[in-house]
């Protein structure tokens, strides 16, 4: 536990010093530009548009950050050989990986929270009042971030190329929005090979339907059971990716 | 009692590129013992297997054949790493941290008890002459300062066995003198020191015994009696024992 804590702490600090908070600044700019456009074009729907725009910008910035950071997380340490020095101490490899991953998730989560708070305050100024819903939306975004971070970590270790890992992460991210559609097409397909391939992809890619709060949003407050199922899915998917990452990392010689 | 024991250790590096497998020999049936409390120098040309041997001791590589035992435990063994201090040839440190944060990290990883950690960090940084640069980022350190910070992380947990990979390479004469004094200070405190070097004159001054590696094998071992008071004895023995394996010929003077 002590080693995970130590690695978590230096990873978090490293990200903060490497200016991960610039994502928050970018978010501020998006909101400012969005606000200007909205006030000019949709004065009567200002609150709703600001809500959707803010949540989307918040999520996209956090997802781009987490993919970028986790893809570089271990590969950069291998390149600079700092991993080499850490592993010559009594550190189990999975502790190191866990500390690095949680440190990154913590830094991105803190950024997501800061952007969320700023956005929420802006919505309050505009007279919006769905606090519980906003928290649910934030938690769904964080679930997506955790899942994508774990997947990007696995891809970076398995492919050992930052560019390839980044490309595959984006591919799976896009695929993750169409899991149900992939399964539907697989069911309708007469070709056994195509059917199997589609099913494999639909199960391998994250299923973002578990975090799609927008459907619940317009139907009222999200059901706590639906939220719990999303949390279980995020833990299971991220846990499976992490376990595979550990397997790959254990085989590496430095 | 042996601090380190290599028993018929072989290490073959296998690399696959575009479906083509290439193999290179890192160690070829190495038998070597390092006794407790002695200063042992590992001499050899580039590619002779010095760094491979050290990586096997530190558990960063797995032997292809044979056994490596360190402080009575078969490697790789994470627990035994708590009793070893290791400084690599270059300081592979995370440059975004300050000197204090860096050493605090390694103290935590080396299981220095939390209440004693801060005092140990400060005293060790002062010991290696970096007391004034505790809160400076490592990115602002000079090469010599980084080397000292690397030595500090190797010694922070008062290890029984200290391994120094090319500790004097690239250092100025004054720093070399200090490293030499440090090795002798460690020996006086009953520590076992293993260091690898190209520098025969340095090895002569501090070692109790040396081992000459050539082509991944132990070509010769010598004790201090065999070179003390005999100018060029070690250099001549070295030249006679090694064979070039790096594919370059001699410099021709005709």
């Amino acid at each position: 536990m002590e080693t995970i804590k130590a690695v978590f702490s230096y990873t978090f600090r490293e990200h903060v010093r490497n200016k991960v908070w610039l994502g928050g600044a970018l978010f501020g700019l998006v909101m400012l530009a969005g606000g200007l456009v909205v006030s000019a074009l949709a004065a009567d729907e200002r609150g709703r548009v600001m809500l959707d725009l803010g949540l989307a910008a918040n999520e996209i910035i956090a997802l781009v950050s987490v993919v970028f950071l986790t893809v570089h997380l271990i590969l950069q340490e291998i390149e600079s050989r700092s991993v080499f020095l850490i592993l010559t101490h009594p550190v189990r490899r999975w502790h190191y990986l866990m500390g690095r991953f949680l440190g990154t998730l913590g830094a991105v989560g803190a950024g997501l929270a800061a952007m969320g708070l700023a956005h929420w305050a802006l919505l309050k100024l505009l007279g919006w009042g769905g606090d519980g819903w906003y928290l649910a939306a934030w938690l769904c975004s964080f679930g997506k971030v955790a899942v994508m971070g774990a997947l990007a970590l696995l891809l970076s270790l398995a492919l050992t190329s930052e560019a390839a890992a980044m490309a595959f992460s984006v591919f799976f991210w896009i695929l993750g929005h169409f899991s149900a559609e992939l399964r539907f097409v697989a069911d309708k397909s007469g070709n056994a090979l195509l059917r199997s391939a589609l099913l494999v992809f639909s199960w391998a890619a994250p299923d973002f339907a578990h975090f799609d709060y927008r459907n619940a949003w317009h139907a009222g407050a999200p059901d706590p059971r639906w939220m719990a199922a999303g949390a279980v899915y995020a833990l299971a998917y991220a846990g499976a990716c992490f376990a595979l990452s550990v397997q790959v990392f254990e085989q590496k010689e430095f | 009692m042996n601090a380190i024991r290599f028993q018929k250790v072989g290490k073959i590096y296998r690399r696959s590129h575009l479906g083509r497998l290439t193999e290179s020999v890192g160690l070829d049936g190495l038998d070597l013992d390092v006794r407790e409390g002695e200063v042992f120098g590992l001499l050899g040309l580039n590619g002779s297997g010095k760094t491979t041997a050290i990586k096997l001791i530190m558990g960063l590589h797995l032997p292809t054949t044979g056994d490596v035992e360190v402080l009575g435990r078969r490697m790789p063994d994470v627990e035994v790493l708590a009793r070893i201090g290791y400084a690599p040839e270059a300081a592979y440190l995370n440059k975004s941290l300050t000197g204090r944060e860096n050493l605090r990290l390694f103290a935590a990883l080396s299981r220095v008890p939390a209440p004693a950690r801060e005092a140990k960090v400060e005293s060790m940084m002062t010991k290696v002459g970096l007391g004034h640069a505790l809160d400076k980022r490592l990115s602002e350190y000079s090469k010599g300062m980084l080397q000292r910070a690397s030595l500090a992380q190797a010694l922070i947990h008062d290890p029984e066995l200290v391994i120094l990979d090319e500790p004097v390479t690239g250092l100025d004469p004054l720093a070399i003198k200090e490293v030499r004094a440090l090795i002798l200070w460690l020996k006086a405190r009953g520590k076992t020191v293993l260091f690898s070097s190209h520098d025969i004159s340095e090895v002569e001054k501090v070692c109790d015994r040396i081992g000459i590696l050539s082509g991944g094998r132990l070509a010769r071992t010598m004790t201090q009696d065999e070179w003390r008071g005999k100018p060029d004895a070690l250099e001549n023995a070295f030249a006679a024992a090694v064979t070039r394996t790096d594919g370059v010929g001699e410099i021709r003077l005709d």
Side-chain angles (χ1 to χ4, degrees), chain A residues 2-4 6-7 10 13-14 17-18 77 80-93 100 250 252-254, chain B residues 11 55 58-62 78-79 81-82 86 88 92-94 96-98 101 104-106 108-111 117 137 153:
Chain A
E2 186 72 16
T3 49
I4 296 178
V7 176
Y10 100 80
R13 193 171 285 129
E14 182 189 359
R17 293 207 175 138
N18 288 342
E77 287 239 312
S80 70
R81 299 200 187 179
S82 32
V83 62
F84 184 100
L85 198 52
I86 287 181
L87 295 179
T88 57
H89 290 78
V91 178
R92 294 190 188 282
R93 291 190 178 197
R100 291 291 282 167
E250 290 278 359
K252 286 196 187 292
E253 291 190 317
F254 300 101
Chain B
K11 177 67 192 172
K55 284 183 174 179
M58 301 311 300
L60 292 168
H61 282 181
L62 300 172
V78 169
E79 293 309 309
L81 295 175
Y86 167 65
Y92 304 131
L93 303 168
N94 190 315
S96 63
L97 302 179
T98 64
E101 288 164 350
R104 207 185 269 154
L105 165 70
F106 286 109
L109 297 182
S110 304
R111 301 177 185 166
R117 215 172 280 159
R137 291 235 191 134
Q153 66 75 30

Side-chain angles (χ1 to χ4, degrees), chain B residues 173-214:
Chain B
L174 199 61
I176 291 175
K177 198 177 162 204
E178 285 173 347
V179 170
R180 191 189 309 143
L182 175 72
I183 292 172
L184 294 173
W185 177 81
L186 288 167
K187 178 183 158 59
R189 291 177 50 130
K191 311 290 182 193
T192 309
V193 181
L194 168 77
F195 78 94
S196 70
S197 185
H198 290 114
D199 192 331
I200 292 173
S201 66
E202 221 33 65
V203 167
E204 270 179 337
K205 285 174 192 153
V206 293
C207 287
D208 299 314
R209 286 197 310 141
I210 58 111
I212 301 171
L213 288 184
S214 179

Side-chain angles (χ1 to χ4, degrees), chain A residues 253, chain B residues 6 9-15 22-30 45-56 61-65 213-218 245:
Chain A
E253 291 190 317
Chain B
F6 282 77
V9 177
K11 177 67 192 172
I12 295 172
Y13 294 106
R14 294 189 175 91
R15 287 183 184 87
T22 53
E23 288 189 350
S24 58
V25 177
L27 290 180
D28 181 15
L30 178 67
L45 299 174
N46 288 334
S48 61
K50 298 187 300 290
T51 300
T52 300
I54 288 176
K55 284 183 174 179
L56 286 163
H61 282 181
L62 300 172
T64 312
T65 57
L213 288 184
S214 179
R217 286 177 159 270
L218 186 65
T245 54

